[in-house]
Amino acid sequence: MNLLNGAAFSRLHGALKAAETRQQVISDNIANADTPNFKRSDIMFEDLLSASIGGGETKPLSGFRTNSRHFVIGPTNQIPGMQFVTDADSIMNNNGSNVDIDREMTLLAKNQLRYNLYTEQVNHDIKMMKTAIDGSA
């Protein structure tokens, strides 16, 4: 049994790290909303994760491996890294900044809900492991 070291738990761990980093980036955007010529940043993770596990509309091509030393063709179980994205093209305010404080506060609340969901799932997985070890419900 590989509950806490499996691919699903690793994806959950990566999502938690992305949510933590996104919290810092959004907080930075809010703190610098009035800084002249500040450009907002964001973190891309969920889209990359969805693409890596084949969440797109078309099924990705995958190769059949007969030996572990063969190259992997198609999607792997590796967790994609986070990607920082800076919007350098748009201007929102008169001072050259592109931070919309209402949008950032909405993204902050959305990220908090997402983080709570991930922590609930981690707690559930650990509780299931503890139940399996103890043998009681």
Coordinates of all heavy atoms in Angstrom, one line a residue, residues 36-125:
P36 N 3.9 52.7 -8.6 CA 3.9 53.1 -10.0 C 4.6 52.0 -10.9 O 5.7 51.5 -10.6 CB 4.7 54.4 -10.1 CG 4.6 54.9 -8.7 CD 4.5 53.8 -7.8
N37 N 4.0 51.7 -12.0 CA 4.5 50.8 -13.0 C 4.7 49.3 -12.5 O 5.4 48.6 -13.1 CB 5.8 51.3 -13.6 CG 5.6 52.6 -14.3 OD1 4.6 52.8 -15.0 ND2 6.5 53.5 -14.1
F38 N 4.0 49.0 -11.4 CA 4.1 47.6 -10.9 C 3.2 46.7 -11.8 O 2.1 47.0 -12.1 CB 3.6 47.5 -9.5 CG 3.7 46.1 -8.9 CD1 4.9 45.5 -8.5 CD2 2.5 45.3 -8.9 CE1 4.9 44.3 -8.0 CE2 2.6 44.0 -8.4 CZ 3.8 43.5 -7.9
K39 N 3.8 45.5 -12.2 CA 3.0 44.6 -13.0 C 2.7 43.4 -12.1 O 3.6 42.8 -11.5 CB 3.8 44.2 -14.2 CG 4.2 45.3 -15.1 CD 3.0 46.1 -15.6 CE 3.4 47.2 -16.5 NZ 2.2 48.1 -16.8
R40 N 1.4 43.0 -12.2 CA 1.0 41.9 -11.3 C 1.5 40.5 -11.9 O 1.8 40.4 -13.1 CB -0.6 41.8 -11.3 CG -1.2 41.5 -12.6 CD -2.8 41.3 -12.4 NE -3.1 40.3 -11.5 CZ -3.2 39.0 -11.7 NH1 -3.0 38.6 -12.9 NH2 -3.5 38.1 -10.8
S41 N 1.6 39.6 -11.0 CA 2.1 38.2 -11.3 C 1.1 37.2 -10.9 O 0.2 37.5 -10.1 CB 3.4 37.9 -10.6 OG 4.4 38.8 -11.1
D42 N 1.2 36.0 -11.4 CA 0.3 34.9 -11.0 C 1.1 33.6 -11.1 O 2.1 33.6 -11.7 CB -1.0 34.9 -11.9 CG -2.1 34.1 -11.2 OD1 -1.9 33.6 -10.1 OD2 -3.2 34.0 -11.9
I43 N 0.5 32.6 -10.6 CA 1.1 31.2 -10.6 C 0.2 30.3 -11.4 O -1.0 30.3 -11.3 CB 1.2 30.6 -9.2 CG1 2.0 31.5 -8.3 CG2 1.7 29.2 -9.2 CD1 3.5 31.5 -8.6
M44 N 0.8 29.6 -12.3 CA 0.1 28.6 -13.1 C 0.5 27.2 -12.6 O 1.6 26.9 -12.5 CB 0.4 28.7 -14.6 CG -0.2 29.8 -15.3 SD 0.2 29.8 -17.1 CE -0.5 28.2 -17.5
F45 N -0.5 26.5 -12.1 CA -0.2 25.1 -11.7 C -1.3 24.2 -12.1 O -1.0 23.1 -12.7 CB 0.0 25.0 -10.2 CG 0.2 23.6 -9.7 CD1 1.5 23.0 -9.9 CD2 -0.8 22.9 -9.1 CE1 1.7 21.7 -9.5 CE2 -0.6 21.6 -8.6 CZ 0.7 21.0 -8.8
E46 N -2.6 24.5 -11.8 CA -3.7 23.6 -12.0 C -3.8 23.3 -13.5 O -4.1 22.1 -13.9 CB -5.0 24.2 -11.5 CG -5.1 24.1 -10.0 CD -4.3 25.3 -9.3 OE1 -3.9 26.2 -10.0 OE2 -4.2 25.2 -8.1
D47 N -3.6 24.2 -14.4 CA -3.7 24.0 -15.8 C -2.6 23.0 -16.3 O -2.8 22.1 -17.1 CB -3.6 25.3 -16.6 CG -4.8 26.2 -16.4 OD1 -5.9 25.6 -15.9 OD2 -4.7 27.4 -16.6
L48 N -1.4 23.2 -15.7 CA -0.3 22.4 -16.1 C -0.5 21.0 -15.5 O -0.2 20.0 -16.2 CB 1.0 22.9 -15.5 CG 1.5 24.3 -16.1 CD1 2.7 24.8 -15.3 CD2 1.8 24.2 -17.5
L49 N -1.0 20.9 -14.3 CA -1.3 19.6 -13.7 C -2.4 18.8 -14.5 O -2.3 17.6 -14.8 CB -1.8 19.7 -12.3 CG -2.1 18.4 -11.5 CD1 -0.9 17.5 -11.4 CD2 -2.6 18.7 -10.2
S50 N -3.4 19.6 -14.9 CA -4.5 18.9 -15.7 C -4.0 18.4 -17.0 O -4.4 17.4 -17.5 CB -5.6 20.0 -15.9 OG -6.6 19.4 -16.7
A51 N -3.1 19.2 -17.6 CA -2.6 18.8 -18.9 C -1.7 17.6 -18.8 O -1.6 16.7 -19.6 CB -1.8 20.0 -19.6
S52 N -0.9 17.5 -17.6 CA 0.0 16.4 -17.4 C -0.7 15.1 -17.1 O -0.2 14.0 -17.4 CB 1.0 16.7 -16.3 OG 0.4 16.7 -15.1
I53 N -1.9 15.2 -16.6 CA -2.6 13.9 -16.3 C -3.6 13.6 -17.3 O -4.5 12.7 -17.2 CB -3.3 13.9 -14.9 CG1 -4.3 15.1 -14.7 CG2 -2.2 14.0 -13.8 CD1 -5.0 15.0 -13.4
G54 N -3.6 14.3 -18.4 CA -4.5 14.0 -19.5 C -5.9 14.6 -19.4 O -6.8 13.9 -19.9
G55 N -6.0 15.7 -18.7 CA -7.3 16.3 -18.5 C -7.8 17.1 -19.7 O -8.9 17.7 -19.7
G56 N -7.1 17.1 -20.8 CA -7.6 17.8 -22.0 C -8.7 17.1 -22.7 O -9.1 16.0 -22.3
E57 N -9.1 17.7 -23.8 CA -10.2 17.1 -24.6 C -9.8 15.9 -25.3 O -10.6 14.9 -25.5 CB -10.8 18.1 -25.5 CG -11.4 19.3 -24.8 CD -11.9 20.3 -25.8 OE1 -11.9 20.1 -27.0 OE2 -12.4 21.4 -25.3
T58 N -8.6 15.9 -25.8 CA -8.1 14.7 -26.6 C -7.2 13.8 -25.7 O -6.5 14.3 -24.8 CB -7.3 15.2 -27.8 OG1 -6.2 15.9 -27.4 CG2 -8.1 16.0 -28.7
K59 N -7.3 12.5 -25.9 CA -6.5 11.6 -25.2 C -5.0 11.7 -25.7 O -4.8 11.5 -26.9 CB -7.0 10.2 -25.3 CG -6.4 9.2 -24.4 CD -7.0 7.9 -24.5 CE -6.3 6.9 -23.6 NZ -6.9 5.6 -23.6
P60 N -4.1 11.9 -24.8 CA -2.7 12.0 -25.3 C -2.1 10.6 -25.7 O -2.6 9.6 -25.3 CB -1.9 12.5 -24.1 CG -2.7 12.1 -22.9 CD -4.2 12.1 -23.4
L61 N -1.2 10.7 -26.6 CA -0.6 9.5 -27.1 C 0.4 9.0 -26.1 O 1.1 9.7 -25.5 CB 0.2 9.9 -28.4 CG 1.0 8.7 -29.0 CD1 0.1 7.7 -29.6 CD2 1.9 9.3 -30.1
S62 N 0.3 7.7 -25.8 CA 1.3 7.1 -24.8 C 1.8 5.8 -25.4 O 1.2 5.1 -26.1 CB 0.5 6.8 -23.5 OG -0.5 5.9 -23.7
G63 N 3.1 5.6 -25.1 CA 3.8 4.4 -25.6 C 3.7 3.2 -24.6 O 3.6 3.5 -23.4
F64 N 3.9 2.0 -25.1 CA 3.9 0.8 -24.2 C 5.3 0.5 -23.9 O 6.1 0.3 -24.8 CB 3.2 -0.3 -24.9 CG 3.2 -1.6 -24.1 CD1 2.3 -1.7 -23.0 CD2 4.0 -2.6 -24.5 CE1 2.3 -2.8 -22.2 CE2 3.9 -3.8 -23.7 CZ 3.1 -3.9 -22.6
R65 N 5.7 0.4 -22.6 CA 7.1 0.1 -22.2 C 7.2 -1.3 -21.8 O 6.4 -1.8 -21.0 CB 7.5 1.0 -21.1 CG 7.6 2.5 -21.5 CD 7.8 3.4 -20.4 NE 8.9 3.0 -19.5 CZ 9.2 3.5 -18.4 NH1 8.4 4.5 -17.9 NH2 10.2 3.1 -17.7
T66 N 8.2 -2.0 -22.3 CA 8.4 -3.4 -21.9 C 9.5 -3.5 -20.9 O 9.8 -4.6 -20.4 CB 8.7 -4.3 -23.1 OG1 9.8 -3.7 -23.8 CG2 7.5 -4.4 -24.0
N67 N 10.2 -2.4 -20.7 CA 11.4 -2.4 -19.8 C 11.4 -1.0 -19.1 O 11.1 0.0 -19.7 CB 12.7 -2.6 -20.5 CG 13.9 -2.9 -19.6 OD1 14.0 -2.2 -18.6 ND2 14.6 -3.9 -19.9
S68 N 11.8 -1.0 -17.8 CA 11.8 0.3 -17.1 C 12.8 1.3 -17.6 O 12.8 2.5 -17.3 CB 12.0 0.0 -15.6 OG 13.2 -0.6 -15.3
R69 N 13.8 0.8 -18.3 CA 14.9 1.6 -18.9 C 14.4 2.3 -20.2 O 15.2 3.1 -20.7 CB 16.1 0.8 -19.0 CG 16.7 0.4 -17.7 CD 18.0 -0.4 -17.9 NE 17.6 -1.7 -18.6 CZ 18.4 -2.6 -19.0 NH1 19.7 -2.4 -18.9 NH2 18.0 -3.7 -19.5
H70 N 13.3 2.0 -20.7 CA 12.8 2.6 -21.9 C 12.4 4.0 -21.7 O 11.9 4.3 -20.6 CB 11.7 1.8 -22.5 CG 12.1 0.4 -23.1 ND1 11.2 -0.5 -23.5 CD2 13.3 -0.1 -23.3 CE1 11.9 -1.6 -23.9 NE2 13.2 -1.3 -23.8
F71 N 12.4 4.8 -22.7 CA 11.9 6.2 -22.6 C 10.4 6.2 -22.4 O 9.7 5.3 -23.0 CB 12.3 7.0 -23.8 CG 13.7 7.3 -23.9 CD1 14.5 6.8 -24.9 CD2 14.3 8.2 -23.0 CE1 15.8 7.1 -25.0 CE2 15.6 8.6 -23.2 CZ 16.4 8.0 -24.1
V72 N 9.9 7.1 -21.6 CA 8.5 7.3 -21.4 C 7.9 8.1 -22.6 O 8.4 9.2 -22.9 CB 8.1 7.9 -20.1 CG1 6.6 8.2 -20.0 CG2 8.7 7.1 -19.0
I73 N 6.9 7.6 -23.3 CA 6.3 8.3 -24.3 C 4.9 8.7 -23.9 O 4.1 7.8 -23.5 CB 6.2 7.4 -25.6 CG1 7.6 7.1 -26.1 CG2 5.4 8.2 -26.7 CD1 7.6 6.1 -27.2
G74 N 4.6 10.0 -23.8 CA 3.2 10.4 -23.4 C 3.3 10.9 -21.9 O 4.4 11.2 -21.4
P75 N 2.1 11.0 -21.3 CA 2.1 11.6 -19.9 C 2.8 10.7 -18.9 O 2.8 9.5 -19.1 CB 0.6 11.6 -19.6 CG -0.1 10.7 -20.6 CD 0.8 10.6 -21.8
T76 N 3.4 11.3 -17.9 CA 4.1 10.6 -16.9 C 3.4 10.9 -15.6 O 2.5 11.7 -15.5 CB 5.6 11.1 -16.8 OG1 5.6 12.5 -16.5 CG2 6.3 10.8 -18.2
N77 N 3.9 10.3 -14.5 CA 3.4 10.6 -13.2 C 4.1 11.7 -12.5 O 3.9 12.0 -11.3 CB 3.5 9.3 -12.3 CG 2.5 8.3 -12.7 OD1 1.4 8.6 -13.3 ND2 2.8 7.0 -12.5
Q78 N 5.0 12.4 -13.2 CA 5.7 13.5 -12.6 C 4.8 14.7 -12.4 O 3.9 14.9 -13.2 CB 6.9 13.9 -13.5 CG 8.0 12.9 -13.6 CD 9.1 13.3 -14.4 OE1 9.0 14.2 -15.2 NE2 10.3 12.7 -14.2
I79 N 5.0 15.3 -11.3 CA 4.2 16.5 -11.0 C 4.8 17.7 -11.6 O 6.0 18.0 -11.5 CB 4.2 16.7 -9.4 CG1 3.8 15.4 -8.7 CG2 3.3 17.9 -9.1 CD1 2.4 14.9 -9.1
P80 N 4.1 18.5 -12.4 CA 4.6 19.6 -13.1 C 5.0 20.7 -12.1 O 4.3 20.8 -11.0 CB 3.5 20.1 -14.0 CG 2.3 19.6 -13.4 CD 2.6 18.3 -12.7
G81 N 5.9 21.5 -12.4 CA 6.3 22.6 -11.5 C 5.4 23.8 -11.7 O 4.6 23.9 -12.6
M82 N 5.5 24.7 -10.7 CA 4.7 25.9 -10.8 C 5.4 26.8 -11.9 O 6.6 26.8 -12.1 CB 4.7 26.7 -9.5 CG 4.0 25.9 -8.4 SD 4.1 26.8 -6.8 CE 5.7 26.1 -6.3
Q83 N 4.6 27.7 -12.5 CA 5.1 28.6 -13.4 C 4.6 30.0 -13.1 O 3.4 30.3 -13.0 CB 4.6 28.2 -14.8 CG 5.3 29.0 -15.9 CD 4.8 28.4 -17.3 OE1 3.7 27.9 -17.5 NE2 5.7 28.5 -18.2
F84 N 5.6 30.9 -12.9 CA 5.3 32.3 -12.6 C 4.9 33.0 -14.0 O 5.6 32.8 -15.0 CB 6.4 33.1 -12.0 CG 6.6 32.8 -10.6 CD1 7.5 31.8 -10.2 CD2 6.0 33.5 -9.6 CE1 7.6 31.5 -8.8 CE2 6.1 33.3 -8.3 CZ 7.0 32.2 -7.9
V85 N 3.8 33.8 -13.9 CA 3.4 34.5 -15.1 C 3.3 36.0 -14.7 O 2.6 36.3 -13.8 CB 2.1 34.0 -15.7 CG1 1.7 34.8 -16.9 CG2 2.2 32.5 -16.0
T86 N 3.9 36.9 -15.4 CA 3.8 38.3 -15.2 C 3.1 38.9 -16.4 O 3.5 38.8 -17.5 CB 5.2 38.9 -15.0 OG1 5.8 38.3 -13.9 CG2 5.1 40.4 -14.7
D87 N 2.0 39.7 -16.1 CA 1.3 40.4 -17.1 C 2.0 41.7 -17.3 O 1.7 42.7 -16.6 CB -0.2 40.5 -16.7 CG -1.0 41.2 -17.7 OD1 -0.5 41.4 -18.9 OD2 -2.1 41.6 -17.4
A88 N 2.8 41.8 -18.3 CA 3.6 43.1 -18.5 C 3.0 44.0 -19.5 O 3.4 45.1 -19.7 CB 5.0 42.7 -18.9
D89 N 1.9 43.5 -20.2 CA 1.4 44.3 -21.3 C 0.2 45.2 -20.9 O 0.0 46.2 -21.5 CB 0.9 43.3 -22.4 CG 2.0 42.5 -23.0 OD1 3.1 43.0 -23.0 OD2 1.7 41.3 -23.4
S90 N -0.6 44.9 -19.9 CA -1.8 45.6 -19.6 C -1.5 46.8 -18.6 O -0.5 46.7 -17.8 CB -2.9 44.7 -19.1 OG -2.5 44.2 -17.9
I91 N -2.3 47.8 -18.7 CA -2.2 48.9 -17.7 C -3.6 49.1 -17.2 O -4.6 49.2 -17.9 CB -1.7 50.2 -18.4 CG1 -0.3 50.0 -18.8 CG2 -1.8 51.4 -17.4 CD1 0.3 51.2 -19.6
M92 N -3.8 49.1 -15.8 CA -5.1 49.2 -15.2 C -5.3 50.6 -14.6 O -6.4 51.1 -14.6 CB -5.2 48.1 -14.2 CG -6.5 48.0 -13.5 SD -7.6 47.2 -14.7 CE -9.1 47.1 -13.8
N93 N -4.3 51.2 -14.0 CA -4.4 52.4 -13.3 C -3.6 53.5 -14.0 O -2.8 53.3 -14.9 CB -3.9 52.2 -11.9 CG -4.6 51.1 -11.1 OD1 -5.8 51.0 -11.3 ND2 -3.9 50.3 -10.4
N94 N -3.8 54.8 -13.5 CA -3.1 55.9 -14.1 C -1.7 55.9 -13.8 O -0.9 56.6 -14.5 CB -3.8 57.2 -13.6 CG -5.2 57.4 -14.1 OD1 -5.5 56.9 -15.2 ND2 -6.0 58.2 -13.4
N95 N -1.2 55.2 -12.8 CA 0.2 55.2 -12.4 C 1.0 54.1 -13.2 O 2.1 53.8 -12.9 CB 0.4 55.0 -10.9 CG -0.2 53.7 -10.4 OD1 -0.6 52.8 -11.2 ND2 -0.1 53.5 -9.1
G96 N 0.3 53.4 -14.1 CA 1.0 52.4 -14.9 C 0.9 51.0 -14.4 O 1.4 50.0 -15.0
S97 N 0.4 50.9 -13.2 CA 0.2 49.6 -12.6 C -1.0 48.8 -13.2 O -1.9 49.5 -13.7 CB -0.1 49.7 -11.0 OG -0.4 48.5 -10.5
N98 N -1.0 47.5 -13.2 CA -2.1 46.7 -13.7 C -2.8 45.9 -12.7 O -3.4 44.9 -13.0 CB -1.6 45.9 -14.9 CG -0.6 44.8 -14.5 OD1 -0.2 44.8 -13.4 ND2 -0.3 44.0 -15.4
V99 N -2.7 46.3 -11.4 CA -3.3 45.6 -10.3 C -4.7 46.1 -10.1 O -4.9 47.3 -9.8 CB -2.5 45.7 -9.0 CG1 -3.2 45.0 -7.9 CG2 -1.1 45.2 -9.2
D100 N -5.7 45.2 -10.2 CA -7.1 45.5 -9.9 C -7.3 44.9 -8.5 O -7.4 43.7 -8.4 CB -8.0 44.9 -10.9 CG -9.5 45.2 -10.6 OD1 -9.8 45.9 -9.7 OD2 -10.3 44.7 -11.4
I101 N -7.5 45.8 -7.5 CA -7.6 45.3 -6.1 C -8.8 44.4 -5.9 O -8.7 43.5 -5.1 CB -7.5 46.5 -5.2 CG1 -7.2 46.1 -3.7 CG2 -8.8 47.3 -5.2 CD1 -5.8 45.7 -3.6
D102 N -9.9 44.7 -6.6 CA -11.1 43.9 -6.4 C -10.8 42.5 -7.0 O -11.2 41.5 -6.4 CB -12.3 44.5 -7.1 CG -12.7 45.8 -6.4 OD1 -12.5 45.9 -5.2 OD2 -13.3 46.6 -7.1
R103 N -10.2 42.4 -8.1 CA -9.9 41.1 -8.7 C -8.9 40.3 -7.8 O -9.0 39.1 -7.6 CB -9.3 41.3 -10.1 CG -9.0 40.0 -10.8 CD -8.5 40.3 -12.3 NE -8.4 39.1 -13.0 CZ -7.2 38.4 -13.1 NH1 -6.2 38.8 -12.5 NH2 -7.2 37.3 -13.8
E104 N -7.9 41.0 -7.3 CA -6.9 40.4 -6.4 C -7.5 39.8 -5.2 O -7.2 38.7 -4.7 CB -5.8 41.3 -6.1 CG -5.0 41.8 -7.3 CD -4.3 40.7 -8.0 OE1 -3.8 39.7 -7.4 OE2 -4.1 40.8 -9.3
M105 N -8.5 40.6 -4.6 CA -9.2 40.1 -3.4 C -10.0 38.9 -3.7 O -10.1 37.9 -2.9 CB -10.0 41.2 -2.8 CG -9.2 42.4 -2.2 SD -8.0 41.9 -1.0 CE -9.0 41.7 0.4
T106 N -10.6 38.9 -4.9 CA -11.4 37.7 -5.3 C -10.5 36.5 -5.5 O -10.8 35.4 -5.0 CB -12.2 38.0 -6.6 OG1 -13.0 39.2 -6.4 CG2 -13.0 36.8 -7.0
L107 N -9.4 36.7 -6.1 CA -8.4 35.6 -6.3 C -7.9 35.1 -5.0 O -7.6 33.9 -4.8 CB -7.3 36.0 -7.2 CG -7.6 36.3 -8.7 CD1 -6.5 36.9 -9.4 CD2 -8.1 35.0 -9.3
L108 N -7.7 36.0 -4.0 CA -7.2 35.6 -2.7 C -8.2 34.7 -2.0 O -7.9 33.7 -1.4 CB -6.9 36.9 -1.9 CG -6.2 36.7 -0.6 CD1 -4.7 36.3 -0.9 CD2 -6.2 38.0 0.2
A109 N -9.5 35.1 -2.1 CA -10.6 34.3 -1.5 C -10.7 32.9 -2.2 O -10.8 31.9 -1.5 CB -11.9 35.0 -1.5
K110 N -10.6 32.9 -3.5 CA -10.6 31.7 -4.2 C -9.5 30.8 -3.9 O -9.6 29.5 -3.7 CB -10.6 32.0 -5.7 CG -10.7 30.8 -6.6 CD -10.7 31.2 -8.1 CE -10.6 30.1 -9.0 NZ -10.5 30.5 -10.4
N111 N -8.3 31.3 -3.7 CA -7.1 30.6 -3.4 C -7.2 30.0 -2.0 O -6.8 28.9 -1.7 CB -5.9 31.4 -3.5 CG -4.6 30.6 -3.3 OD1 -4.4 29.6 -4.1 ND2 -3.8 31.0 -2.4
Q112 N -7.8 30.8 -1.1 CA -8.0 30.3 0.3 C -9.0 29.1 0.3 O -8.7 28.1 1.1 CB -8.6 31.4 1.2 CG -8.8 31.0 2.6 CD -7.5 30.7 3.3 OE1 -6.5 31.4 3.2 NE2 -7.4 29.6 4.1
L113 N -10.0 29.2 -0.4 CA -11.0 28.0 -0.5 C -10.3 26.8 -1.1 O -10.5 25.7 -0.6 CB -12.2 28.4 -1.4 CG -13.1 29.4 -0.8 CD1 -14.2 29.8 -1.8 CD2 -13.8 28.8 0.5
R114 N -9.5 27.0 -2.1 CA -8.7 25.9 -2.7 C -7.7 25.3 -1.7 O -7.7 24.1 -1.6 CB -8.0 26.5 -4.0 CG -7.3 25.4 -4.8 CD -6.7 26.0 -6.0 NE -7.7 26.4 -7.0 CZ -7.5 27.3 -7.9 NH1 -6.4 28.0 -8.0 NH2 -8.5 27.6 -8.8
Y115 N -7.0 26.1 -1.0 CA -6.1 25.6 0.0 C -6.8 24.8 1.1 O -6.4 23.8 1.5 CB -5.4 26.8 0.7 CG -4.3 26.4 1.7 CD1 -3.0 26.1 1.2 CD2 -4.6 26.4 3.0 CE1 -2.1 25.7 2.1 CE2 -3.6 26.0 3.9 CZ -2.3 25.6 3.5 OH -1.4 25.2 4.4
N116 N -8.0 25.3 1.5 CA -8.8 24.6 2.5 C -9.2 23.2 2.0 O -9.2 22.2 2.7 CB -10.0 25.4 2.9 CG -9.7 26.6 3.8 OD1 -8.6 26.7 4.3 ND2 -10.6 27.5 3.9
L117 N -9.6 23.2 0.7 CA -10.0 21.9 0.1 C -8.8 20.9 0.1 O -8.9 19.7 0.5 CB -10.5 22.1 -1.3 CG -10.8 20.9 -2.1 CD1 -12.0 20.2 -1.6 CD2 -10.9 21.2 -3.6
Y118 N -7.6 21.4 -0.2 CA -6.4 20.5 -0.3 C -6.1 20.0 1.1 O -5.7 18.8 1.3 CB -5.2 21.3 -0.9 CG -5.4 21.7 -2.3 CD1 -4.8 22.8 -2.8 CD2 -6.2 21.0 -3.2 CE1 -4.9 23.2 -4.1 CE2 -6.3 21.4 -4.5 CZ -5.7 22.5 -5.0 OH -5.9 22.9 -6.3
T119 N -6.1 20.9 2.1 CA -5.8 20.4 3.5 C -6.8 19.4 4.0 O -6.5 18.5 4.7 CB -5.7 21.6 4.4 OG1 -6.9 22.4 4.4 CG2 -4.5 22.5 4.1
E120 N -8.1 19.6 3.6 CA -9.1 18.7 4.0 C -8.8 17.3 3.4 O -9.0 16.3 4.0 CB -10.5 19.1 3.6 CG -11.0 20.3 4.5 CD -11.4 19.8 5.9 OE1 -11.8 18.7 6.1 OE2 -11.1 20.6 6.8
Q121 N -8.4 17.3 2.2 CA -8.1 16.0 1.5 C -6.9 15.4 2.1 O -6.8 14.1 2.3 CB -7.9 16.3 0.0 CG -7.7 15.0 -0.8 CD -9.0 14.1 -0.7 OE1 -10.1 14.6 -0.8 NE2 -8.8 12.8 -0.5
V122 N -5.8 16.1 2.4 CA -4.7 15.6 3.1 C -5.1 15.0 4.5 O -4.7 13.9 4.8 CB -3.6 16.7 3.3 CG1 -2.5 16.2 4.3 CG2 -3.0 17.0 2.0
N123 N -5.9 15.7 5.2 CA -6.3 15.2 6.5 C -7.1 13.9 6.3 O -7.0 13.0 7.1 CB -7.2 16.2 7.2 CG -6.4 17.4 7.8 OD1 -5.2 17.2 8.0 ND2 -7.0 18.5 7.9
H124 N -7.9 13.8 5.3 CA -8.7 12.6 5.0 C -7.8 11.5 4.7 O -8.0 10.4 5.2 CB -9.7 12.9 3.9 CG -10.5 11.7 3.5 ND1 -10.1 10.8 2.4 CD2 -11.6 11.1 4.0 CE1 -10.9 9.9 2.3 NE2 -11.9 10.0 3.2
D125 N -6.8 11.7 3.8 CA -5.9 10.6 3.5 C -5.1 10.1 4.7 O -4.9 8.9 4.9 CB -4.9 11.1 2.4 CG -5.5 11.3 1.0 OD1 -6.7 10.9 0.9 OD2 -4.9 11.8 0.1

